[in-house]
Amino acid sequence: MAFYVRYFDAEALLPKEEDIIPFISSLNMLSPKELNVVGSYIGKLKNGTNRIFLDKSKKKYILAIGTDKTDIADFQKNAKKEARPNNSQHVKPAVPETEFGKDETRINEGWYIYSLDYQRFEEGAYSPYTFKAKIKDASILDAYQQMSLYLQQKHQNASLIPDFRPSLVTIDPVND
């Protein structure tokens, strides 16, 4: 898998994940500590959008997008096409049907355990965590919002919570 990497105005389509550090190093814009943070992400990047946060405030980051494209022009053309909304038709993205409902806004009545995977900044690197919460009468979207708010308040800027998508939140019935 190739990676489209961008840091401020510098960008490149790199054929493999290991090429990210040499590319970023060649820019001479990062401290050795920040390069170590970048190195801690190598081997953990996935297909799609990855943000490598260089500071606790999450204002300074490197964008690394995993892709199967081999040409940067082809990647940018398709990325712009996918990002541009189509105003002529409003198509709701498909949500996989679960036993709890067909979409993320359907209220699941009663108590359920919702789980959310997120990352927390500790000792100069992000570590994966799973947050579980017992929530009553909530949709998947409501549960995500409640859990995100709680994690942001508890950990301030040290938590990296991914943007909402229904597959991100898992739901299990409460076994009494």
Side-chain angles (χ1 to χ4, degrees):
M1 170 174 37
F3 284 89
Y4 168 79
V5 179
R6 187 177 73 215
Y7 184 63
F8 289 103
D9 292 338
E11 63 183 356
L13 186 64
L14 305 171
K16 54 187 178 184
E17 192 172 2
E18 294 79 25
D19 294 337
I20 294 174
I21 291 181
F23 169 71
I24 295 298
S25 296
S26 71
L27 301 176
N28 294 322
M29 297 173 76
L30 299 181
S31 69
K33 183 179 177 183
E34 291 170 327
L35 285 172
N36 286 338
V37 171
V38 174
S40 71
Y41 279 86
I42 302 302
K44 299 175 187 174
L45 299 176
K46 58 186 185 282
N47 192 18
T49 303
N50 301 278
R51 285 186 176 86
I52 301 172
F53 292 98
L54 302 172
D55 60 351
K56 288 183 181 181
S57 68
K58 297 182 190 173
K59 293 181 181 177
K60 187 176 179 183
Y61 64 89
I62 296 169
L63 181 66
I65 301 174
T67 181
D68 57 353
K69 305 292 183 204
T70 56
D71 181 46
I72 194 164
D74 187 35
F75 171 80
Q76 289 174 333
K77 180 179 79 172
N78 287 334
K80 288 178 183 176
K81 190 184 299 183
E82 291 170 4
R84 187 180 312 131
N86 185 352
N87 294 331
S88 63
Q89 63 188 82
H90 298 283
V91 179
K92 186 175 181 179
V95 177
E97 186 173 336
T98 66
E99 68 178 277
F100 301 105
K102 292 185 179 181
D103 69 34
E104 67 271 9
T105 59
R106 180 175 174 264
I107 301 294
N108 299 310
E109 296 179 7
W111 289 97
Y112 289 95
I113 296 175
Y114 295 86
S115 301
L116 172 66
D117 291 332
Y118 73 102
Q119 294 182 1
R120 203 164 72 211
F121 192 78
E122 296 176 325
E123 299 174 14
Y126 281 94
S127 303
Y129 285 90
T130 300
F131 178 71
K132 292 186 178 188
K134 185 176 174 182
I135 301 173
K136 184 177 182 181
D137 299 334
S139 68
I140 292 174
L141 179 60
D142 292 336
Y144 167 83
Q145 290 171 339
Q146 289 178 33
M147 291 187 292
S148 296
L149 181 63
Y150 174 82
L151 290 170
Q152 288 171 354
Q153 290 173 348
K154 181 175 181 182
H155 301 293
Q156 283 100 24
N157 292 331
S159 291
L160 175 60
I161 302 165
D163 292 335
F164 175 76
R165 46 181 200 281
S167 61
L168 192 62
V169 179
T170 58
I171 177 173
D172 295 309
V174 172
N175 298 324
D176 292 328

